[in-house]
Amino acid sequence: MSRGYSKGRRLVSQLNRPSSDFDICGSCLLSLRRRYATASAAATSSPEPISVDQHTPPVTTATAPHPAYQIKAGVVLSRPPLLTRDLHPFEKAFYLYQRRLNERLALPFTRYFYYQKDTPADIDWKKKIKERLTAARDIGVYNAYGKEGWNDELLVGAKESEPEAQVEALLKDAEVEAEDEGPVKKAKVEKPMPRVTEADTSGDTRSLNRLMARTLYLVVKGSEGGWGFPSGALMGKESLQRGAERLLVQAAGVNMNTWIVGHAPVGHHNLKYPQPRIEEESKIQRLGEKTFFMKARIMGGQANLKDNKLGLADFKWLAKEELEKEVHPHYWSSVKNMLVER
């Protein structure tokens, strides 16, 4: 029962009492009657019934695509140097000077301690010492005990300071002449492998047997024609390390023995699309790509793009300065600090 209705009943009960029971004046009684009429009208007026079966359709609002970058994993696969670096001309001259200085300060060579007199080895020694004037075999013609013994320095770029010339001198000294009854015979000496390989001379950028004193990096050519490190989108909750291992197999095959160095990326590259791309399934507005690179080393094998799942067309093993000429300038600015100079 409403509040106005109960109040109206109370006023009606008061007005039905005999007039002798009221101690109020006529104006107050008139005011009470007016209040009664107002309360009675409010009590008798009922609100419109609300239909239970009435259905209110839900309000639907079109949600805008969520903007985000696509996260990718990249692999900086490198082959470390297999040979020591090439020496600077000043270093070559300095090391040769040190060997000549040591020849001056060392005690004279006593050949009879090593060679018996009038033996073939002693005869061969006499012939060679007559040509080079010193017991050392790789410092050129130099007499440490003669009048020109003090002149043990060479100019930068001199032939005697070149490693190739020193190797030839050592090989020549290793040849022993055997004078038997027949003609003079020289013992065959095995020569070391050259530092410049066939792949260097032919310019084969797919071979790992090139630039043996430098670090080489694997770069691949994508379906759109651009060069870069192997990369791809992560799958689900895949970590960067797991994604890098999977990408190496999918891109370059299973014929490489590789090792992912560490669990943290060594750098990243941001690529912003000219126009955002909306994915139909996830309703995500892709603003661009963010590629995080993992460092890796190859210990054996070779890349093979046959049946690769990333649509790669070609690959190369390049040094740092060679890689700069192949990739986009914006890409190079992101990856150059991850690469070593040597």
Side-chain angles (χ1 to χ4, degrees):
M1 186 177 294
S2 64
R3 181 180 179 184
Y5 183 72
S6 60
K7 187 175 182 180
R9 290 188 61 185
R10 187 169 61 254
L11 293 175
V12 170
S13 62
Q14 292 178 359
L15 292 176
N16 291 333
R17 293 170 58 187
S19 60
S20 59
D21 295 338
F22 291 98
D23 297 331
I24 58 177
C25 63
S27 62
C28 293
L29 183 61
L30 181 60
S31 177
L32 288 174
R33 287 178 179 176
R34 290 177 180 173
R35 291 177 60 188
Y36 162 74
T38 305
S40 177
T44 56
S45 63
S46 59
E48 297 181 359
I50 300 175
S51 177
V52 180
D53 298 334
Q54 185 178 2
H55 176 68
T56 304
V59 180
T60 59
T61 58
T63 59
H66 177 65
Y69 280 83
Q70 187 176 22
I71 304 300
K72 289 187 174 183
V75 186
V76 182
L77 182 64
S78 63
R79 187 222 67 186
L82 303 180
L83 299 177
T84 57
R85 66 176 178 85
D86 296 329
L87 297 178
H88 188 272
F90 177 79
E91 294 176 315
K92 298 175 184 178
F94 175 77
Y95 292 147
L96 182 62
Y97 164 71
Q98 290 291 325
R99 291 198 295 272
R100 286 192 171 187
L101 180 62
N102 180 73
E103 188 70 14
R104 289 179 58 189
L105 300 178
L107 294 175
F109 180 76
T110 307
R111 75 174 191 270
Y112 293 120
F113 182 80
Y114 297 94
Y115 307 113
Q116 189 175 358
K117 189 176 181 180
D118 296 333
T119 58
D122 182 53
I123 297 174
D124 183 72
W125 164 261
K126 290 179 180 179
K127 181 179 179 181
K128 293 175 180 178
I129 197 68
K130 188 177 181 180
E131 294 176 358
R132 61 173 183 254
L133 304 178
T134 179
R137 299 172 294 175
D138 57 347
I139 62 174
V141 179
Y142 174 69
N143 186 3
Y145 304 101
K147 295 180 179 180
E148 296 293 327
W150 59 272
N151 190 14
D152 52 4
E153 299 182 8
L154 289 177
L155 297 178
V156 174
K159 180 182 178 181
E160 292 83 357
S161 61
E162 295 295 329
E164 293 79 7
Q166 297 171 8
V167 170
E168 290 296 330
L170 292 173
L171 292 175
K172 183 179 179 181
D173 184 81
E175 296 176 351
V176 179
E177 297 180 357
E179 297 182 359
D180 296 333
E181 296 179 357
V184 177
K185 298 181 180 180
K186 293 184 178 181
K188 186 178 180 180
V189 180
E190 293 291 338
K191 296 184 178 182
M193 298 295 292
R195 295 175 64 92
V196 179
T197 64
E198 183 180 354
D200 290 320
T201 56
S202 63
D204 185 7
T205 55
R206 285 191 171 191
S207 175
L208 282 167
N209 297 324
R210 60 183 296 266
L211 299 179
M212 307 293 280
R214 300 291 306 279
T215 299
L216 299 181
Y217 298 94
L218 175 65
V219 291
V220 293
K221 185 178 182 180
S223 57
E224 298 179 357
W227 289 89
F229 297 120
S231 63
L234 296 176
M235 300 177 60
K237 297 183 179 180
E238 190 177 39
S239 65
L240 290 174
Q241 185 187 33
R242 295 294 184 184
E245 293 175 349
R246 174 180 57 82
L247 287 169
L248 276 179
V249 175
Q250 292 179 349
V254 296
N255 295 328
M256 291 193 304
N257 185 10
T258 59
W259 170 48
I260 303 296
V261 183
H263 297 268
V266 294
H268 72 284
H269 170 63
N270 292 341
L271 175 62
K272 189 174 182 180
Y273 298 147
Q275 295 293 335
R277 304 174 185 177
I278 300 177
E279 297 181 355
E280 296 296 335
E281 297 181 358
S282 59
K283 300 298 182 182
I284 296 178
Q285 184 183 20
R286 295 297 184 185
L287 303 178
E289 302 173 359
K290 290 188 177 182
T291 305
F292 294 87
F293 296 100
M294 300 294 293
K295 183 179 180 181
R297 288 289 180 90
I298 180 173
M299 296 174 285
Q302 175 60 291
N304 183 9
L305 300 187
K306 184 179 179 180
D307 300 330
N308 74 88
K309 299 180 180 180
L310 301 181
L312 304 178
D314 198 2
F315 75 93
K316 292 181 180 180
W317 291 96
L318 302 178
K320 183 176 181 178
E321 66 275 4
E322 296 175 333
L323 195 146
E324 181 180 5
K325 301 176 183 178
E326 297 291 343
V327 300
H328 192 272
H330 177 60
Y331 189 88
W332 172 250
S333 64
S334 300
V335 304
K336 63 180 180 179
N337 292 330
M338 300 185 299
L339 312 179
V340 296
E341 296 293 338
R342 177 175 173 257

